[in-house]
Amino acid sequence: MASKLKKIVISGVAGAVGAGLATYLLLNNDVDIDRWSVKAHQNQKRNKRPLPKREEQIKSLQTESFDVLIIGGGATGAGCALDAVTRGLKTALIEADDFASGTSSRSTKLIHGGVRYLQKAIMQLDYDQYKMVKEALHERATMLHSAPHLAHPLPIMLPVYQWWQVPYYWFGIKMYDLVAGTKNIGGSYLLSKKNALELFPMLRGDKLCGAIVYYDGQQDDARMNLAIALTATRHGATVVNHVKVTGLIKEPTNDGKEIICGVHVKDELSQKEWKIPAKCVINATGPFTDTIRKMDNIKIKEICAPSSGVHIVLPGYYSPEQMGLLDPSTSDGRVIFFLPWQKQTIAGTTDLPCQVTHNPKPTEDEIMFILEEVKNYLNPDVEVRRGDVLSAWSGIRPLVSDPNKPDTQSLARNHIVHVSDSKLITIAGGKWTTYRSMAEETIDAAIEACSLQPKFELSQTDGLLMEGAHGWTPTMYIRLVQDFGLDCEVAQHLANSYGDRAFAVAKLATITGKRWPIIGNKVHPEFPYIDAEVRYGVREYAMTATDMIARRLRLAFLNVQAAQEALPDIINVMAEELNWSEEEKKKQHKDATEFLQYEMGQNVNRASRDKIPINLSKDEIQTYIKRFQIIDTDRKGYVSINDIRRSLKHLGIRLNDNDVHLLLNDIDTTYNGQLDLSDYLQMMSAIKSGHVAYSRFARMAELEEEKHEKEMLKKKISVERSGGGL
């Protein structure tokens, strides 16, 4: 009785306050709907400085000294480089791996203020939480303005299954709109059950009371990170990937202390080492914050508490193309997002303590947790299958305790900026959305701590347009179709990935030899990526095959198997651009394959299938043995590539050698390219249970059996029965 009364009171209060807020918002609707239109971009001119080659950037690092040197090429580090260089400071950035190779490419792809943070701010009367949400909502609007080709508003549905929660959630979401103020990107609204199911037909309808839709931003995180770094380069910063810091250089001061005056570095590609002098060094290394801090002082306490967040990618039919879903209360209290992205569906995330590593791996338990939570929200027609997981990855979120406070046990809700005794500036924590304001605060601290003399005292980045944004319009892709003869889907992809630089990409495209499209050969038939992007990606400082498939093209994140299949052609194009030897090409293939296997979930997918007991009936086993033996004509006990080629010829299907190998890529094969009968039965069992969605080889075996049965039937029919003869 008491709990029911409590719910009624909450509903009444929330409804009354919510109604007042709704009236306020309706009467004060001052949101500028043209904020992200092309009009906002026309005042800024595109920087015409060409991107220097990596060799020129390396030479700059070897021969020049800098006001500011940033360690770390993630979102925060790139943001610091852009903030510093636009204030007139001589700036360098170095990254041990690739831009966005860590946490910054493994996010939920959302640009958001944090609905849950606002809920805590209201429930706990926490002003710090409120300020954090307010800042994030401002930065959300800034990102959507600065890179409209890479970021866009996305409606997200919050389904409600209990009537008393309708006013509760509605009030919270309206508060979210109110806090955003003029920076709001779309007004939230309430949906009936019928309308909710029309917009999100995959949603479970039983017990559904209705839904609330609100707006946040969505981005291509790796390419956004790259755009920030390239924009810094256009403004004069020296920005280099695959250069690792091996030590800090210090010099004594008049008062007997030591301050940092530069770094020791090593080029991971050429293995050359040298020193870079700098007045100020900034540590923006995310989960590796403590590694750099201990180079400064080995005795300091660690402040980073890493947390693993796993995401999975499912086929696009799991969600509407323009509507996300939020589960605010999972079985263990975490939030699960279910979002359309690049014509696929992202689901995540988990949040578990982990060890800091350069190669975080998703686990089967985390993948199954996400699938089970997703299953709770989808209707019975959508069978949530383990085999539908196209890719899975883990990102390490660097939660930190604040070294500025005496009690370092409690984790900071937001980011921290710390200046050590030797003037090492550390920026840690925070989130993707607030990268720009974090960078602004960091450079402010650097100027003060290291007595720098910038041309502009205040940050210049609020509203600064990113690489590709200046000439972009929502219909720019039509010019690409008309001027170059590109496929429409490819043109849309290029416009949304490169902005106004898409024309430079299109100029590198090769002729298809077809009537249409005229140019633009795809690197994989199921995705809009073309060979020209590989060549342009090298100009964007992609130096390895992994750089290309993961962070220039997003293929590894969208479909790990497709990335594996496209890898040989991608490596061949990169080899032409970077003059790779045959030995180097093999090394690149091996490294990229390991990345896909361990970091993108390929091995976890395979292990999941192999763990499943063979649950086939006796008749099914006999059927599959028969199919296998039809292909294995020599009764060797395995199927070789020659067997597959012979079978395809028999079926009248013509494939080149690479396509034949793709048939075997669906499944585990032995090292000499042979498929055992036990592997085939395991695969068929996995297809039956839903752990594998589809197999080219299984389909080929089925077709071969059908053709074999028809041929056998013809042999059995006598001349008399057939009606022939005299």
Side-chain angles (χ1 to χ4, degrees), residues 521-525 529-535 538 545 548-549 553 555 562-577 580 585 589 656-659 662:
N521 288 293
K522 293 183 177 181
V523 298
H524 192 280
Y529 302 111
I530 59 173
D531 55 351
E533 293 181 79
V534 181
R535 298 189 189 280
V538 173
M548 190 66 70
I549 61 173
L553 319 179
L555 199 51
Q564 183 74 60
E565 293 167 3
L567 198 52
D569 289 341
I570 289 172
I571 288 174
N572 285 337
V573 176
M574 291 189 75
E576 293 175 9
E577 294 290 320
W580 284 345
K585 286 166 66 175
H589 191 279
N656 58 35
D657 286 347
N658 189 51
D659 290 332
L662 294 184

Side-chain angles (χ1 to χ4, degrees), residues 458-692:
L458 300 177
S459 175
Q460 305 293 300
T461 56
D462 195 349
L464 182 71
L465 297 184
M466 296 297 144
E467 176 89 350
H470 297 77
W472 180 86
T473 67
T475 54
M476 192 190 81
Y477 73 93
I478 297 173
R479 289 167 54 201
L480 291 168
V481 174
Q482 294 177 336
D483 294 354
F484 291 93
L486 283 165
D487 174 78
C488 187
E489 184 188 14
V490 170
Q492 288 176 317
H493 155 68
L494 293 181
N496 292 335
S497 295
Y498 302 90
D500 59 19
R501 304 284 174 178
F503 296 96
V505 179
K507 289 176 182 177
L508 300 174
T510 54
I511 296 173
T512 63
K514 303 175 185 176
R515 187 183 66 82
W516 189 265
I518 299 170
I519 64 167
N521 288 293
K522 293 183 177 181
V523 298
H524 192 280
E526 297 170 19
F527 292 87
Y529 302 111
I530 59 173
D531 55 351
E533 293 181 79
V534 181
R535 298 189 189 280
Y536 194 79
V538 173
R539 291 156 176 75
E540 293 180 323
Y541 309 121
M543 304 307 296
T544 70
T546 302
D547 293 350
M548 190 66 70
I549 61 173
R551 294 172 289 273
R552 302 308 181 278
L553 319 179
R554 302 311 307 274
L555 199 51
F557 283 81
L558 293 170
N559 189 315
V560 68
Q561 187 63 43
Q564 183 74 60
E565 293 167 3
L567 198 52
D569 289 341
I570 289 172
I571 288 174
N572 285 337
V573 176
M574 291 189 75
E576 293 175 9
E577 294 290 320
L578 295 168
N579 298 316
W580 284 345
S581 63
E582 287 300 317
E583 184 180 353
E584 180 62 23
K585 286 166 66 175
K586 289 177 182 177
K587 179 183 180 298
Q588 290 293 331
H589 191 279
K590 177 177 177 291
D591 292 345
T593 298
E594 288 179 356
F595 169 78
L596 294 172
Q597 288 175 342
Y598 296 108
E599 296 185 50
M600 290 290 109
Q602 192 174 48
N603 275 4
V604 182
N605 287 351
R606 289 177 174 175
S608 168
R609 188 209 70 199
D610 291 342
K611 282 196 303 185
I612 297 184
I614 295 179
N615 61 344
L616 303 172
S617 68
K618 186 176 180 180
D619 289 342
E620 287 172 330
I621 290 174
Q622 290 302 318
T623 298
Y624 297 139
I625 289 175
K626 180 182 176 182
R627 289 180 185 177
F628 189 85
Q629 290 176 344
I630 290 171
I631 300 174
D632 178 22
T633 54
D634 301 328
R635 297 295 188 273
K636 303 179 297 298
Y638 62 85
V639 170
S640 67
I641 292 176
N642 286 334
D643 292 323
I644 293 176
R645 190 178 284 111
R646 182 170 59 241
S647 179
L648 291 169
K649 184 178 180 182
H650 185 233
L651 291 168
I653 301 172
R654 293 185 178 182
L655 296 178
N656 58 35
D657 286 347
N658 189 51
D659 290 332
V660 172
H661 280 283
L662 294 184
L663 283 171
L664 286 173
N665 277 344
D666 285 341
I667 48 177
D668 283 331
T669 59
T670 52
Y671 290 108
N672 56 354
Q674 298 171 353
L675 170 67
D676 294 331
L677 174 60
S678 60
D679 288 332
Y680 176 55
L681 293 176
Q682 185 79 57
M683 177 189 69
M684 299 312 298
S685 180
I687 290 175
K688 181 181 178 181
S689 65
H691 276 64
V692 170

Side-chain angles (χ1 to χ4, degrees), residues 158-171:
L158 197 162
V160 183
Y161 289 92
Q162 296 186 57
W163 282 109
W164 71 268
Q165 291 180 331
V166 174
Y168 174 75
Y169 285 131
W170 186 79
F171 166 69

Side-chain angles (χ1 to χ4, degrees), residues 130-250:
Y130 167 79
K131 283 198 304 181
M132 185 171 70
V133 174
K134 182 74 174 175
E135 176 190 49
L137 289 171
H138 172 84
E139 294 302 322
R140 180 186 69 176
T142 298
M143 287 183 73
L144 289 166
H145 161 75
S146 296
H149 56 302
L150 293 171
H152 61 273
L154 177 72
I156 299 175
M157 183 181 291
L158 197 162
V160 183
Y161 289 92
Q162 296 186 57
W163 282 109
W164 71 268
Q165 291 180 331
V166 174
Y168 174 75
Y169 285 131
W170 186 79
F171 166 69
I173 294 300
K174 282 300 177 186
M175 283 295 293
Y176 196 59
D177 292 346
L178 182 62
V179 173
T182 59
K183 300 295 184 180
N184 200 17
I185 61 175
S188 59
Y189 53 92
L190 182 66
L191 288 174
S192 66
K193 174 180 177 178
K194 179 184 175 183
N195 290 338
L197 292 174
E198 284 180 359
L199 285 175
F200 208 116
M202 307 84 176
L203 198 61
R204 179 166 62 89
D206 60 308
K207 298 182 181 179
L208 182 70
C209 300
I212 298 161
V213 175
Y214 73 99
Y215 284 80
D216 259 328
Q218 189 177 52
Q219 65 168 338
D220 182 338
D221 52 4
R223 289 212 60 87
M224 180 70 81
N225 193 153
L226 181 65
I228 299 165
L230 294 179
T231 305
T233 305
R234 298 276 188 192
H235 281 83
T238 300
V239 176
V240 188
N241 55 355
H242 299 287
V243 172
K244 181 181 180 180
V245 170
T246 57
L248 303 177
I249 304 170
K250 296 182 180 180

Side-chain angles (χ1 to χ4, degrees), residues 252-314:
T253 61
N254 294 331
D255 56 3
K257 295 181 179 180
E258 287 188 326
I259 60 168
I260 294 171
C261 60
V263 294
H264 293 279
V265 298
K266 177 183 179 182
D267 185 345
E268 296 283 74
L269 302 181
S270 69
Q271 305 303 312
K272 293 181 179 178
E273 298 187 33
W274 68 94
K275 299 176 183 179
I276 305 175
K279 296 176 183 176
C280 176
V281 174
I282 295 174
N283 173 18
T285 52
F288 303 96
T289 293
D290 288 324
T291 302
I292 303 299
R293 291 178 72 240
K294 287 192 173 182
M295 287 183 185
D296 179 31
N297 181 358
I298 193 65
K299 297 179 181 179
I300 53 101
K301 290 182 179 180
E302 295 185 357
I303 61 170
C304 186
S307 173
S308 166
V310 168
H311 294 81
I312 63 173
V313 172
L314 298 165

Side-chain angles (χ1 to χ4, degrees), residues 445-457:
I447 291 170
E448 181 180 351
C450 301
S451 303
L452 303 178
Q453 300 295 320
K455 181 179 178 182
F456 302 102
E457 193 68 30

